[in-house]
Amino acid sequence: MTAPAHDISLVVNGEHVRERVDARTTLVDFLRDTLELTGSHVGCEHGVCGACTVRVNGTVVRGCLMLAVQCDGMRVETIEGVADTGEIADLEQAFIARNALQCGFCTPGMLLCAHAMLRDADAPMTRDEIREKLHGNLCRCTGYTDIVDAIEDAQAQGITR
Ligand code: FES
Ligand code: FES
């Protein structure tokens, strides 16, 4: 049976978008397949790995757990958008300096998660707190140490944007 289609209107990376979507289309599939924003990755499709992390109205969410229709009227930012604005440029440099990526599959989600934790922290985070906040973003390559190092460096440099 074909799912009903819905017209949605939203702002993606600062641009107004109007599309007709299947009611069951996830946000990450909509971003990747319809808008060709393939920086958000799809791993588990069950909300476990964090590869699909994007921002909706400023909050970091799992793109595989939201439906595109739920984002009608909302503001969505992907890794492409925050990279283009330079919002995460310093954080990207911290990741590069610490070799905090290997295959890169987890990296867009890691960067968005790290950016949000730096932005939202009321006080300097310990390494354990950084690791705890990363618990929803899985990396199969790095062992996490270099990622935590990079976030710690960014924090020490006052990188919150
Ligand atoms: S693909 Fe969304 S959490 Fe894994
Ligand atoms: S760098 Fe490969 S999954 Fe994280």
Short mmCIF file of all heavy atoms in Angstrom, two decimals, residues 97-153:
data_model
loop_
_atom_site.label_atom_id
_atom_site.label_comp_id
_atom_site.label_asym_id
_atom_site.label_seq_id
_atom_site.Cartn_x
_atom_site.Cartn_y
_atom_site.Cartn_z
N ALA A 97 43.93 18.40 13.62
CA ALA A 97 45.20 18.48 14.37
C ALA A 97 45.42 17.26 15.25
O ALA A 97 46.56 16.85 15.48
CB ALA A 97 45.19 19.75 15.23
N ARG A 98 44.35 16.67 15.73
CA ARG A 98 44.45 15.50 16.61
C ARG A 98 44.22 14.17 15.88
O ARG A 98 44.08 13.14 16.51
CB ARG A 98 43.43 15.62 17.74
CG ARG A 98 43.84 16.62 18.81
CD ARG A 98 45.01 16.11 19.61
NE ARG A 98 45.26 16.93 20.79
CZ ARG A 98 46.08 16.56 21.78
NH1 ARG A 98 46.72 15.42 21.71
NH2 ARG A 98 46.26 17.36 22.81
N ASN A 99 44.14 14.23 14.56
CA ASN A 99 43.85 13.00 13.80
C ASN A 99 42.62 12.29 14.35
O ASN A 99 42.64 11.08 14.55
CB ASN A 99 45.04 12.06 13.81
CG ASN A 99 46.22 12.63 13.06
OD1 ASN A 99 46.06 13.21 12.01
ND2 ASN A 99 47.41 12.47 13.63
N ALA A 100 41.57 13.07 14.59
CA ALA A 100 40.38 12.52 15.23
C ALA A 100 39.40 11.89 14.25
O ALA A 100 38.22 11.75 14.55
CB ALA A 100 39.70 13.62 16.05
N LEU A 101 39.91 11.53 13.08
CA LEU A 101 39.06 10.81 12.14
C LEU A 101 39.93 9.88 11.30
O LEU A 101 41.11 10.17 11.07
CB LEU A 101 38.30 11.76 11.22
CG LEU A 101 39.09 12.68 10.30
CD1 LEU A 101 38.26 13.02 9.08
CD2 LEU A 101 39.50 13.94 11.04
N GLN A 102 39.32 8.79 10.92
CA GLN A 102 40.02 7.87 10.01
C GLN A 102 39.16 7.70 8.76
O GLN A 102 39.36 8.39 7.77
CB GLN A 102 40.33 6.56 10.74
CG GLN A 102 41.42 6.77 11.79
CD GLN A 102 41.78 5.51 12.54
OE1 GLN A 102 41.70 4.40 12.01
NE2 GLN A 102 42.18 5.66 13.79
N CYS A 103 38.18 6.80 8.80
CA CYS A 103 37.36 6.64 7.58
C CYS A 103 36.43 7.82 7.36
O CYS A 103 35.99 8.08 6.25
CB CYS A 103 36.56 5.35 7.63
SG CYS A 103 35.08 5.43 8.67
N GLY A 104 36.09 8.53 8.44
CA GLY A 104 35.25 9.72 8.32
C GLY A 104 33.76 9.45 8.37
O GLY A 104 32.97 10.40 8.32
N PHE A 105 33.36 8.19 8.47
CA PHE A 105 31.92 7.90 8.43
C PHE A 105 31.19 8.55 9.60
O PHE A 105 30.10 9.09 9.44
CB PHE A 105 31.69 6.38 8.46
CG PHE A 105 30.26 5.99 8.24
CD1 PHE A 105 29.73 5.98 6.96
CD2 PHE A 105 29.44 5.67 9.31
CE1 PHE A 105 28.40 5.64 6.75
CE2 PHE A 105 28.11 5.32 9.11
CZ PHE A 105 27.60 5.31 7.83
N CYS A 106 31.79 8.53 10.76
CA CYS A 106 31.13 9.10 11.95
C CYS A 106 31.35 10.60 12.08
O CYS A 106 30.70 11.25 12.92
CB CYS A 106 31.68 8.42 13.21
SG CYS A 106 33.39 8.89 13.59
N THR A 107 32.27 11.15 11.31
CA THR A 107 32.77 12.50 11.59
C THR A 107 31.73 13.61 11.49
O THR A 107 31.69 14.49 12.37
CB THR A 107 33.98 12.80 10.68
OG1 THR A 107 34.92 11.72 10.79
CG2 THR A 107 34.67 14.09 11.10
N PRO A 108 30.87 13.63 10.49
CA PRO A 108 29.85 14.69 10.46
C PRO A 108 29.00 14.69 11.75
O PRO A 108 28.77 15.76 12.34
CB PRO A 108 29.01 14.36 9.23
CG PRO A 108 29.97 13.64 8.33
CD PRO A 108 30.80 12.80 9.26
N GLY A 109 28.58 13.52 12.17
CA GLY A 109 27.79 13.44 13.40
C GLY A 109 28.60 13.82 14.62
O GLY A 109 28.10 14.50 15.54
N MET A 110 29.85 13.39 14.66
CA MET A 110 30.72 13.75 15.78
C MET A 110 30.90 15.26 15.88
O MET A 110 30.86 15.83 16.98
CB MET A 110 32.10 13.10 15.62
CG MET A 110 32.15 11.63 15.86
SD MET A 110 31.97 11.24 17.63
CE MET A 110 32.17 9.45 17.54
N LEU A 111 31.13 15.89 14.75
CA LEU A 111 31.35 17.34 14.76
C LEU A 111 30.10 18.08 15.22
O LEU A 111 30.19 19.02 16.02
CB LEU A 111 31.76 17.81 13.36
CG LEU A 111 33.19 17.47 12.94
CD1 LEU A 111 33.38 17.69 11.44
CD2 LEU A 111 34.20 18.33 13.72
N LEU A 112 28.94 17.66 14.74
CA LEU A 112 27.71 18.33 15.17
C LEU A 112 27.45 18.09 16.65
O LEU A 112 27.03 18.99 17.38
CB LEU A 112 26.53 17.84 14.32
CG LEU A 112 26.47 18.46 12.93
CD1 LEU A 112 25.52 17.69 12.03
CD2 LEU A 112 26.04 19.92 13.01
N CYS A 113 27.71 16.88 17.13
CA CYS A 113 27.54 16.56 18.55
C CYS A 113 28.54 17.36 19.39
O CYS A 113 28.17 17.97 20.41
CB CYS A 113 27.72 15.06 18.74
SG CYS A 113 27.60 14.54 20.46
N ALA A 114 29.80 17.39 18.95
CA ALA A 114 30.84 18.11 19.70
C ALA A 114 30.54 19.60 19.73
O ALA A 114 30.70 20.26 20.77
CB ALA A 114 32.21 17.86 19.05
N HIS A 115 30.10 20.14 18.61
CA HIS A 115 29.78 21.56 18.56
C HIS A 115 28.67 21.88 19.55
O HIS A 115 28.73 22.87 20.29
CB HIS A 115 29.35 21.94 17.15
CG HIS A 115 29.01 23.38 17.01
ND1 HIS A 115 27.73 23.85 17.12
CD2 HIS A 115 29.79 24.47 16.80
CE1 HIS A 115 27.73 25.16 16.99
NE2 HIS A 115 28.97 25.56 16.78
N ALA A 116 27.64 21.03 19.61
CA ALA A 116 26.52 21.27 20.52
C ALA A 116 26.98 21.18 21.97
O ALA A 116 26.56 21.99 22.81
CB ALA A 116 25.40 20.27 20.24
N MET A 117 27.84 20.22 22.29
CA MET A 117 28.25 20.10 23.70
C MET A 117 29.11 21.28 24.13
O MET A 117 29.00 21.76 25.26
CB MET A 117 28.93 18.75 23.97
CG MET A 117 30.35 18.62 23.51
SD MET A 117 31.12 17.09 24.11
CE MET A 117 30.38 15.86 23.05
N LEU A 118 29.96 21.77 23.22
CA LEU A 118 30.77 22.94 23.55
C LEU A 118 29.89 24.18 23.71
O LEU A 118 30.10 25.01 24.60
CB LEU A 118 31.82 23.18 22.46
CG LEU A 118 32.95 22.15 22.41
CD1 LEU A 118 33.70 22.25 21.08
CD2 LEU A 118 33.91 22.34 23.57
N ARG A 119 28.91 24.28 22.86
CA ARG A 119 27.99 25.42 22.90
C ARG A 119 27.15 25.42 24.18
O ARG A 119 26.90 26.46 24.77
CB ARG A 119 27.07 25.35 21.67
CG ARG A 119 26.05 26.46 21.56
CD ARG A 119 25.00 26.10 20.53
NE ARG A 119 24.24 24.91 20.94
CZ ARG A 119 23.42 24.23 20.15
NH1 ARG A 119 23.25 24.57 18.91
NH2 ARG A 119 22.76 23.18 20.59
N ASP A 120 26.74 24.24 24.61
CA ASP A 120 25.76 24.14 25.70
C ASP A 120 26.39 23.97 27.07
O ASP A 120 25.68 24.03 28.08
CB ASP A 120 24.81 22.97 25.43
CG ASP A 120 23.98 23.19 24.16
OD1 ASP A 120 23.89 24.35 23.71
OD2 ASP A 120 23.46 22.20 23.63
N ALA A 121 27.69 23.71 27.14
CA ALA A 121 28.32 23.43 28.44
C ALA A 121 28.31 24.68 29.32
O ALA A 121 28.71 25.77 28.88
CB ALA A 121 29.75 22.96 28.23
N ASP A 122 27.83 24.51 30.55
CA ASP A 122 27.81 25.63 31.50
C ASP A 122 29.18 25.85 32.13
O ASP A 122 29.49 26.93 32.62
CB ASP A 122 26.81 25.36 32.62
CG ASP A 122 25.39 25.31 32.09
OD1 ASP A 122 25.12 26.05 31.12
OD2 ASP A 122 24.58 24.54 32.62
N ALA A 123 29.98 24.78 32.14
CA ALA A 123 31.29 24.82 32.77
C ALA A 123 32.21 23.90 31.97
O ALA A 123 31.72 23.05 31.21
CB ALA A 123 31.20 24.34 34.22
N PRO A 124 33.52 24.07 32.12
CA PRO A 124 34.43 23.19 31.38
C PRO A 124 34.13 21.72 31.66
O PRO A 124 33.92 21.33 32.81
CB PRO A 124 35.81 23.60 31.92
CG PRO A 124 35.64 25.00 32.36
CD PRO A 124 34.24 25.11 32.89
N MET A 125 34.12 20.94 30.60
CA MET A 125 33.80 19.51 30.74
C MET A 125 35.07 18.71 31.00
O MET A 125 36.13 19.01 30.44
CB MET A 125 33.16 19.00 29.44
CG MET A 125 31.86 19.65 29.09
SD MET A 125 31.26 19.12 27.46
CE MET A 125 32.37 20.00 26.35
N THR A 126 34.95 17.69 31.83
CA THR A 126 36.05 16.77 32.02
C THR A 126 36.08 15.79 30.85
O THR A 126 35.12 15.70 30.07
CB THR A 126 35.88 15.96 33.32
OG1 THR A 126 34.70 15.14 33.17
CG2 THR A 126 35.72 16.87 34.53
N ARG A 127 37.16 15.03 30.75
CA ARG A 127 37.21 14.03 29.68
C ARG A 127 36.07 13.02 29.81
O ARG A 127 35.48 12.60 28.82
CB ARG A 127 38.56 13.29 29.71
CG ARG A 127 39.73 14.13 29.24
CD ARG A 127 41.01 13.33 29.25
NE ARG A 127 41.07 12.33 28.19
CZ ARG A 127 41.39 12.60 26.92
NH1 ARG A 127 41.70 13.82 26.56
NH2 ARG A 127 41.42 11.62 26.02
N ASP A 128 35.79 12.63 31.05
CA ASP A 128 34.70 11.68 31.26
C ASP A 128 33.36 12.26 30.82
O ASP A 128 32.51 11.56 30.25
CB ASP A 128 34.62 11.27 32.74
CG ASP A 128 35.72 10.29 33.12
OD1 ASP A 128 36.39 9.77 32.21
OD2 ASP A 128 35.90 10.05 34.33
N GLU A 129 33.18 13.54 31.08
CA GLU A 129 31.92 14.17 30.66
C GLU A 129 31.84 14.25 29.14
O GLU A 129 30.76 14.05 28.56
CB GLU A 129 31.80 15.56 31.29
CG GLU A 129 31.49 15.51 32.78
CD GLU A 129 31.63 16.86 33.47
OE1 GLU A 129 32.33 17.76 32.95
OE2 GLU A 129 31.04 17.01 34.55
N ILE A 130 32.95 14.55 28.50
CA ILE A 130 32.95 14.58 27.03
C ILE A 130 32.61 13.19 26.49
O ILE A 130 31.77 13.04 25.59
CB ILE A 130 34.32 15.06 26.49
CG1 ILE A 130 34.54 16.53 26.85
CG2 ILE A 130 34.41 14.85 24.98
CD1 ILE A 130 35.95 17.05 26.58
N ARG A 131 33.22 12.17 27.05
CA ARG A 131 32.94 10.80 26.59
C ARG A 131 31.49 10.45 26.81
O ARG A 131 30.85 9.80 25.96
CB ARG A 131 33.84 9.79 27.32
CG ARG A 131 35.28 9.83 26.87
CD ARG A 131 36.04 8.62 27.37
NE ARG A 131 35.86 7.49 26.46
CZ ARG A 131 36.82 7.02 25.65
NH1 ARG A 131 38.00 7.57 25.65
NH2 ARG A 131 36.58 6.00 24.87
N GLU A 132 30.95 10.85 27.96
CA GLU A 132 29.54 10.57 28.25
C GLU A 132 28.64 11.24 27.22
O GLU A 132 27.69 10.65 26.71
CB GLU A 132 29.22 11.04 29.67
CG GLU A 132 27.74 11.02 30.04
CD GLU A 132 27.12 9.63 29.97
OE1 GLU A 132 27.87 8.63 30.13
OE2 GLU A 132 25.90 9.54 29.74
N LYS A 133 28.95 12.48 26.88
CA LYS A 133 28.12 13.21 25.92
C LYS A 133 28.26 12.66 24.50
O LYS A 133 27.42 12.91 23.65
CB LYS A 133 28.46 14.70 25.96
CG LYS A 133 28.00 15.40 27.24
CD LYS A 133 28.46 16.84 27.26
CE LYS A 133 28.32 17.47 28.64
NZ LYS A 133 26.94 17.67 29.04
N LEU A 134 29.34 11.92 24.27
CA LEU A 134 29.54 11.30 22.95
C LEU A 134 28.92 9.90 22.86
O LEU A 134 29.07 9.25 21.84
CB LEU A 134 31.04 11.15 22.66
CG LEU A 134 31.85 12.36 22.21
CD1 LEU A 134 33.30 11.97 22.04
CD2 LEU A 134 31.30 12.95 20.91
N HIS A 135 28.24 9.49 23.92
CA HIS A 135 27.84 8.08 23.97
C HIS A 135 26.90 7.69 22.83
O HIS A 135 26.83 6.52 22.46
CB HIS A 135 27.18 7.74 25.32
CG HIS A 135 25.77 8.22 25.43
ND1 HIS A 135 25.45 9.51 25.79
CD2 HIS A 135 24.58 7.60 25.18
CE1 HIS A 135 24.13 9.66 25.78
NE2 HIS A 135 23.59 8.52 25.42
N GLY A 136 26.22 8.65 22.25
CA GLY A 136 25.29 8.33 21.17
C GLY A 136 25.90 8.42 19.79
O GLY A 136 25.20 8.28 18.79
N ASN A 137 27.20 8.65 19.72
CA ASN A 137 27.87 8.72 18.42
C ASN A 137 28.98 7.67 18.40
O ASN A 137 29.98 7.81 19.10
CB ASN A 137 28.44 10.12 18.18
CG ASN A 137 27.35 11.13 17.93
OD1 ASN A 137 26.62 11.52 18.84
ND2 ASN A 137 27.18 11.55 16.69
N LEU A 138 28.78 6.67 17.61
CA LEU A 138 29.73 5.54 17.59
C LEU A 138 30.79 5.73 16.51
O LEU A 138 30.51 6.22 15.42
CB LEU A 138 28.98 4.23 17.35
CG LEU A 138 27.84 3.92 18.32
CD1 LEU A 138 27.28 2.53 18.06
CD2 LEU A 138 28.30 4.05 19.77
N CYS A 139 32.01 5.31 16.86
CA CYS A 139 33.12 5.34 15.91
C CYS A 139 33.79 3.97 15.92
O CYS A 139 34.17 3.47 16.97
CB CYS A 139 34.14 6.42 16.30
SG CYS A 139 35.57 6.44 15.21
N ARG A 140 33.93 3.40 14.75
CA ARG A 140 34.50 2.05 14.67
C ARG A 140 36.00 2.09 14.42
O ARG A 140 36.64 1.03 14.32
CB ARG A 140 33.81 1.25 13.57
CG ARG A 140 34.00 1.85 12.21
CD ARG A 140 33.08 1.26 11.17
NE ARG A 140 33.12 2.09 9.97
CZ ARG A 140 32.29 1.97 8.95
NH1 ARG A 140 31.34 1.06 8.98
NH2 ARG A 140 32.38 2.75 7.90
N CYS A 141 36.57 3.30 14.26
CA CYS A 141 37.98 3.38 13.87
C CYS A 141 38.91 3.90 14.95
O CYS A 141 40.00 3.36 15.14
CB CYS A 141 38.13 4.32 12.67
SG CYS A 141 37.15 3.91 11.24
N THR A 142 38.55 4.99 15.61
CA THR A 142 39.55 5.76 16.35
C THR A 142 39.78 5.32 17.78
O THR A 142 40.78 5.71 18.39
CB THR A 142 39.13 7.24 16.41
OG1 THR A 142 37.91 7.34 17.17
CG2 THR A 142 38.92 7.82 15.03
N GLY A 143 38.83 4.60 18.36
CA GLY A 143 38.95 4.29 19.79
C GLY A 143 38.58 5.49 20.66
O GLY A 143 38.75 5.43 21.89
N TYR A 144 38.13 6.55 20.06
CA TYR A 144 37.58 7.74 20.73
C TYR A 144 38.61 8.66 21.37
O TYR A 144 38.34 9.83 21.59
CB TYR A 144 36.51 7.38 21.79
CG TYR A 144 35.35 6.62 21.21
CD1 TYR A 144 35.32 5.23 21.26
CD2 TYR A 144 34.31 7.28 20.58
CE1 TYR A 144 34.26 4.52 20.71
CE2 TYR A 144 33.25 6.58 20.02
CZ TYR A 144 33.24 5.19 20.09
OH TYR A 144 32.20 4.50 19.54
N THR A 145 39.79 8.17 21.70
CA THR A 145 40.74 9.00 22.44
C THR A 145 41.08 10.28 21.68
O THR A 145 41.08 11.38 22.25
CB THR A 145 42.03 8.20 22.73
OG1 THR A 145 41.68 7.06 23.51
CG2 THR A 145 43.04 9.04 23.50
N ASP A 146 41.35 10.16 20.39
CA ASP A 146 41.71 11.34 19.60
C ASP A 146 40.53 12.31 19.46
O ASP A 146 40.73 13.52 19.37
CB ASP A 146 42.21 10.93 18.21
CG ASP A 146 43.51 10.14 18.29
OD1 ASP A 146 44.24 10.29 19.29
OD2 ASP A 146 43.78 9.36 17.36
N ILE A 147 39.34 11.76 19.42
CA ILE A 147 38.15 12.62 19.33
C ILE A 147 37.99 13.41 20.63
O ILE A 147 37.74 14.62 20.61
CB ILE A 147 36.89 11.77 19.02
CG1 ILE A 147 37.00 11.17 17.62
CG2 ILE A 147 35.62 12.61 19.17
CD1 ILE A 147 35.92 10.17 17.28
N VAL A 148 38.14 12.72 21.75
CA VAL A 148 38.04 13.42 23.04
C VAL A 148 39.16 14.45 23.16
O VAL A 148 38.94 15.58 23.62
CB VAL A 148 38.08 12.41 24.20
CG1 VAL A 148 38.09 13.13 25.55
CG2 VAL A 148 36.88 11.46 24.13
N ASP A 149 40.37 14.08 22.71
CA ASP A 149 41.49 15.05 22.72
C ASP A 149 41.12 16.31 21.93
O ASP A 149 41.38 17.44 22.37
CB ASP A 149 42.74 14.44 22.07
CG ASP A 149 43.40 13.38 22.95
OD1 ASP A 149 43.09 13.31 24.15
OD2 ASP A 149 44.23 12.63 22.39
N ALA A 150 40.56 16.11 20.75
CA ALA A 150 40.22 17.26 19.89
C ALA A 150 39.17 18.15 20.55
O ALA A 150 39.28 19.38 20.52
CB ALA A 150 39.71 16.75 18.54
N ILE A 151 38.18 17.53 21.16
CA ILE A 151 37.13 18.33 21.81
C ILE A 151 37.70 19.04 23.03
O ILE A 151 37.37 20.21 23.30
CB ILE A 151 35.93 17.43 22.18
CG1 ILE A 151 35.30 16.85 20.91
CG2 ILE A 151 34.89 18.21 22.99
CD1 ILE A 151 34.25 15.77 21.16
N GLU A 152 38.57 18.36 23.74
CA GLU A 152 39.22 18.98 24.90
C GLU A 152 40.06 20.19 24.45
O GLU A 152 40.05 21.25 25.08
CB GLU A 152 40.11 17.94 25.60
CG GLU A 152 40.24 18.15 27.09
CD GLU A 152 41.03 17.04 27.74
OE1 GLU A 152 41.86 16.38 27.08
OE2 GLU A 152 40.81 16.83 28.94
N ASP A 153 40.80 20.02 23.35
CA ASP A 153 41.59 21.14 22.81
C ASP A 153 40.68 22.30 22.42
O ASP A 153 40.97 23.46 22.71
CB ASP A 153 42.36 20.70 21.55
CG ASP A 153 43.57 19.85 21.89
OD1 ASP A 153 43.87 19.68 23.08
OD2 ASP A 153 44.20 19.35 20.93
#
